[in-house]
Amino acid sequence: MQNPQVDLPVILRALALSRNPADLRVTVKNFYTNDASLHHPFRIVEHGANSSQKILGMYEWCRIISPHTVSRVNAVFYDRTHHIIVVEVTRHFQVRFSPFKAAPSRHIIRIKLQERDKLFYIYSQEEFLHPTDLMNSVLPPLTPLVRLALVFFAWMGVMCSKMWVFSLLLWAKLFGIGSDIQRGKVKSGLMRLVQSEDQETVDAVLKATQYGPYGGIANS
């Protein structure tokens, strides 16, 4: 590739839509390094001698089981300093003989390029899919169940968060925290701790609490 931002969408379309094995082999041979890697939710090819041949095998199997795939590149973001490209692709992966209609799945593809003789080649490729997109590409009828499960997990997370904050306020109500929030200084009635007139108390409790032992480095 001479201009990755322009050339890569064409390459990705060729990988997904090649009509015959010869074209697919030419694409992998011309645009991947011999030791390229591929990480995908359903397959992993690590760096190694002639690992690009394994990548070819993975793409060829996809063409065999889904000869009528539809693929569209939506956006391309190129970091010229680090030679990294992030691409958003929408695909309709229609499995051969499947009775279900293909559904769109959104892929986020991160590609690390390697420069050789003033040309760029794909050195590593990672594909990321949301669980609903992943199910769309396998069994579209089950996608609503996956979505429902994710909504339930989100609700559970919110409820657990509220219970945790409530436990902090309960502790402050019973025992006090620090020198500013002491037993007897908090207004009577536990539920008043979360009312607007007690916002200073709530803020003080939250500021005096940590999620856990601090060992990281905060970004400035």
Side-chain angles (χ1 to χ4, degrees):
M1 287 177 279
Q2 292 181 330
N3 186 346
Q5 191 164 10
V6 175
D7 297 339
L8 194 62
V10 179
I11 295 169
L12 292 177
R13 281 193 291 268
L15 291 169
L17 306 176
S18 291
R19 303 306 300 176
N20 61 72
D23 291 344
L24 185 58
R25 280 163 166 73
V26 168
T27 300
V28 172
K29 179 180 179 180
N30 289 345
F31 300 108
Y32 283 83
T33 64
N34 275 342
D35 58 344
S37 69
L38 172 66
H39 283 212
H40 184 277
F42 289 138
R43 50 193 177 270
I44 292 180
V45 176
E46 299 289 6
H47 293 292
N50 295 322
S51 57
S52 61
Q53 292 304 303
K54 297 179 182 178
I55 294 175
L56 170 61
M58 293 298 96
Y59 274 111
E60 194 157 54
W61 178 241
C62 287
R63 297 302 296 131
I64 292 169
I65 64 175
S66 179
H68 303 296
T69 294
V70 177
S71 181
R72 183 182 71 252
V73 176
N74 302 322
V76 180
F77 305 93
Y78 183 26
D79 182 345
R80 298 178 184 275
T81 302
H82 300 95
H83 301 313
I84 293 175
I85 289 187
V86 178
V87 186
E88 180 185 289
V89 178
T90 298
R91 288 178 184 158
H92 290 69
F93 192 80
Q94 178 64 59
V95 178
R96 189 191 295 263
F97 305 129
S98 172
F100 307 118
K101 182 179 179 181
S105 58
R106 185 170 60 98
H107 300 236
I108 303 299
I109 305 174
R110 181 187 184 275
I111 292 175
K112 173 69 175 179
L113 300 174
Q114 195 172 82
E115 187 175 7
R116 298 180 180 179
D117 300 324
K118 297 183 179 180
L119 293 176
F120 292 97
Y121 299 88
I122 298 173
Y123 177 67
S124 67
Q125 178 176 333
E126 299 173 275
E127 295 196 27
F128 305 94
L129 289 87
H130 189 273
T132 54
D133 293 310
L134 190 63
M135 189 56 66
N136 270 344
S137 65
V138 182
L139 285 173
L142 296 184
T143 300
L145 296 179
V146 174
R147 183 183 298 276
L148 182 63
L150 295 175
V151 170
F152 173 74
F153 293 149
W155 178 81
M156 285 293 295
V158 171
M159 294 306 298
C160 289
S161 172
K162 291 182 180 296
M163 290 174 61
W164 182 76
V165 172
F166 184 81
S167 69
L168 295 177
L169 300 178
L170 176 61
W171 185 270
K173 171 66 177 179
L174 297 177
F175 304 105
I177 296 180
S179 58
D180 295 327
I181 309 175
Q182 297 293 336
R183 193 176 188 178
K185 292 187 178 180
V186 178
K187 295 181 180 180
S188 60
L190 180 58
M191 295 308 297
R192 292 186 181 180
L193 285 171
V194 295
Q195 294 177 355
S196 58
E197 62 265 24
D198 298 299
Q199 190 60 47
E200 291 184 5
T201 299
V202 174
D203 292 342
V205 170
L206 297 180
K207 287 180 180 179
T209 303
Q210 294 187 1
Y211 291 114
Y214 178 71
I217 301 176
N219 293 326
S220 57

